[in-house]
């Protein structure tokens, strides 16, 4: 398809953010966010200590229409002026995915626009190209509440999973640690805050899979070690909480460092020609400053350029979905109105399924 300026509406409803955005893809391949609206449902789920699928679906239904209207308004566009409608079609909580994807189908059908069924993980994987002209191939580390994986991104629609978690996702490990310590939800930011005041050497928590010759992750043993330490302490002082958080965070940091070393080596073997390739980090856990520092020094040591998109684009949003839609539309990869939404949808469809690598209904 000839390069042209494209305006794409994006819709994201796969977990606990209801989001709508419009992006522009310029003829030279650069991107711009024209409008980007995200309604976080954290307050609706916080009393339950995690995302409740039925509540998520109800909140999506209540807000999606007016968020789309607002995104179009802010962009100064009417539906007939769009070049395509993109929505997350999986993986995620199926009720929510169906709400967003069916809405996209309706708009596409009513206005005769191309429909783009987007894999949510592809949205995360292509985000850096919305911000800068980031060439393929690059290495993606996705660390969110539902996924922890390395992907080798070789092109639009060309992904190779290099490693994944065999049990809990990293964000989930942060959230469970916070829960064991009686902190709130989501736990990641609270664990980070406490860790700043703690002694990271007080507890010797495990560094799971350290030294293994692949780049998979496992966090359930770390969670068990935290639970045992908390049980042994009995009553928890503020200092105890801070020390557990700091010791947990340093165990995670060293684990990431070790797994990254393997991922860099696998990447370089697959693409020896790549000069100063990028390591892209996405997902809510990428907001953690301690981990970011470790990632930056590891990347530098191995000749990779670290790119961490701003937090608003690292966490779930619709601009990344619209952008993935623009990249696909440019290549003529349009979807049928009978495309069926999916709870499970690995980005690398030929990779061997691993328990925990794409949990049904998992937050991703
Ligand atoms: O990407 P995200 O907003 O949602 C999805 O999972 O899709 O990620 C949320 C996860 C939660 O588990 C949260 O605890 C974690 O990211 N998180 C953090 C931090 N901020 C958010 N984990 C560690 N440190 C943080 N500062
Ligand atoms: Zn996500």
């Amino acid at each position: 398809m000839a390069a042209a300026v494209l305006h794409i509406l994006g819709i994201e409803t796969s977990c606990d953010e209801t989001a709508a955005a419009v992006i522009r893809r310029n003829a030279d391949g650069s991107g711009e966010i024209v409008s980007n609206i995200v309604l976080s449902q954290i307050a609706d789920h916080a009393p339950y200590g995690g995302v409740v699928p039925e509540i998520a679906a109800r909140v999506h239904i209540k807000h999606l229409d007016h968020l789309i209207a607002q995104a179009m308004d802010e962009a100064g566009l009417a539906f007939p002026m769009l070049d395509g409608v993109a929505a997350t079609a999986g993986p995620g909580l199926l009720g929510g995915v169906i709400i967003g994807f069916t809405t996209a189908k309706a708009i596409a059908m009513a206005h005769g626009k191309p429909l783009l069924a987007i894999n949510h993980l592809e949205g995360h994987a292509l985000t850096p190209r919305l911000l800068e002209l980031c060439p393929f191939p690059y290495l993606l580390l996705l660390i969110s509440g539902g996924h922890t994986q390395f992907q080798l991104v070789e092109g639009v629609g060309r992904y190779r999973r290099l490693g994944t978690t065999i049990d809990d996702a990293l964000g989930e490990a942060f959230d469970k640690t916070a829960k064991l310590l009686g902190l709130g939800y989501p736990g990641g930011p609270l664990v980070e805050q406490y860790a700043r005041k703690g002694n990271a050497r007080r507890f010797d928590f495990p560094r799971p899979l350290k030294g293994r010759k692949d780049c998979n992750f496992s966090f359930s043993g770390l969670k068990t070690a935290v639970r045992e330490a908390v049980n042994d302490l009995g009553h928890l002082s503020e200092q105890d909480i801070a020390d557990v958080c700091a010791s947990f965070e340093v165990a995670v940091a060293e684990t990431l460092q070790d797994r990254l070393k393997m991922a860099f080596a696998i990447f370089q073997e697959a693409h020896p020609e790549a000069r100063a390739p990028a390591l892209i980090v996405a997902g809510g856990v990428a907001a953690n400053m301690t981990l970011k520092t470790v990632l930056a020094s590891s990347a530098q040591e191995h000749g990779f350029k670290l790119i961490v998109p701003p937090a608003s684009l690292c966490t779930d949003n619709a601009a990344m979905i619209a952008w993935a839609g623009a990249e696909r539309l440019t290549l003529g990869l349009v979807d049928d109105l009978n495309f069926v939404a999916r709870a499970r949808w690995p980005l690398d469809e030929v990779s061997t399924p691993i328990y925990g690598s794409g949990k049904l209904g998992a937050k991703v």
Side-chain angles (χ1 to χ4, degrees), residues 260-309:
L260 264 172
K261 212 178 352 168
M262 290 309 305
F264 288 142
I266 297 170
F267 182 99
Q268 273 158 340
E269 206 180 307
H271 287 283
E273 80 292 352
R275 295 278 160 263
L279 165 67
I280 314 294
V281 186
V285 185
N288 185 293
M289 290 310 296
T290 309
L291 300 184
K292 222 184 275 184
T293 309
V294 167
L295 294 170
S297 68
S298 286
Q300 196 186 18
E301 192 186 322
H302 292 89
F304 278 69
K305 175 184 168 200
L306 178 71
I307 300 179
V308 185

Side-chain angles (χ1 to χ4, degrees), residues 95-283:
V97 173
I98 288 173
I99 291 164
F101 188 47
T102 306
T103 304
K105 282 183 177 178
I107 297 170
M109 189 165 76
H111 297 279
K113 300 294 175 187
L115 172 72
L116 303 140
I118 305 299
N119 181 314
H120 176 89
L121 300 171
E122 183 167 44
H124 282 300
L126 297 178
T127 298
R129 291 166 53 83
L130 165 59
L131 304 170
E132 51 188 292
L133 297 170
C134 180
F136 298 118
Y138 53 79
L139 179 64
L140 170 75
L141 170 61
L142 177 61
I143 38 178
S144 72
H147 276 263
T148 301
Q149 50 180 253
F150 284 112
Q151 294 277 351
L152 169 50
V153 182
E154 295 181 312
V156 176
R158 292 174 52 210
Y159 311 98
R160 277 163 58 189
R161 195 190 69 203
L162 303 184
T164 186
T165 179
I166 57 172
D167 41 55
D168 293 347
L170 183 51
E172 203 178 350
F174 269 92
D175 293 336
K176 286 178 177 171
T177 294
K179 204 167 183 175
L180 286 166
L181 294 168
L183 307 178
Y185 173 85
L190 298 164
V191 170
E192 181 177 16
Q193 270 172 35
Y194 269 94
R196 280 197 206 115
K197 300 171 281 184
N199 172 5
R201 281 186 298 275
R202 176 158 165 209
F203 300 96
D204 186 19
F205 292 139
R207 276 66 170 151
L209 306 189
K210 191 169 175 185
R212 276 252 308 242
K213 295 283 172 230
D214 60 29
C215 53
N216 286 331
F217 294 92
S218 164
F219 293 107
S220 68
L222 179 55
K223 175 187 66 190
T224 305
V226 170
R227 186 188 305 115
E228 282 167 3
V230 169
N231 288 346
D232 289 348
L233 286 166
H235 172 76
L236 296 172
S237 69
E238 285 285 293
Q239 193 57 50
D240 290 335
I241 295 176
D243 293 346
V244 170
C245 288
S247 304
F248 167 83
E249 209 176 63
V250 81
V252 169
E254 286 185 24
T255 302
L256 278 182
Q257 220 167 9
D258 179 69
R259 309 288 68 209
L260 264 172
K261 212 178 352 168
M262 290 309 305
F264 288 142
I266 297 170
F267 182 99
Q268 273 158 340
E269 206 180 307
H271 287 283
E273 80 292 352
R275 295 278 160 263
L279 165 67
I280 314 294
V281 186

Side-chain angles (χ1 to χ4, degrees), residues 32-46:
E32 274 169 63
I33 297 174
V34 187
S35 62
N36 186 18
I37 299 164
V38 181
L39 178 94
S40 165
Q41 303 181 0
I42 282 182
D44 299 285
H45 300 282

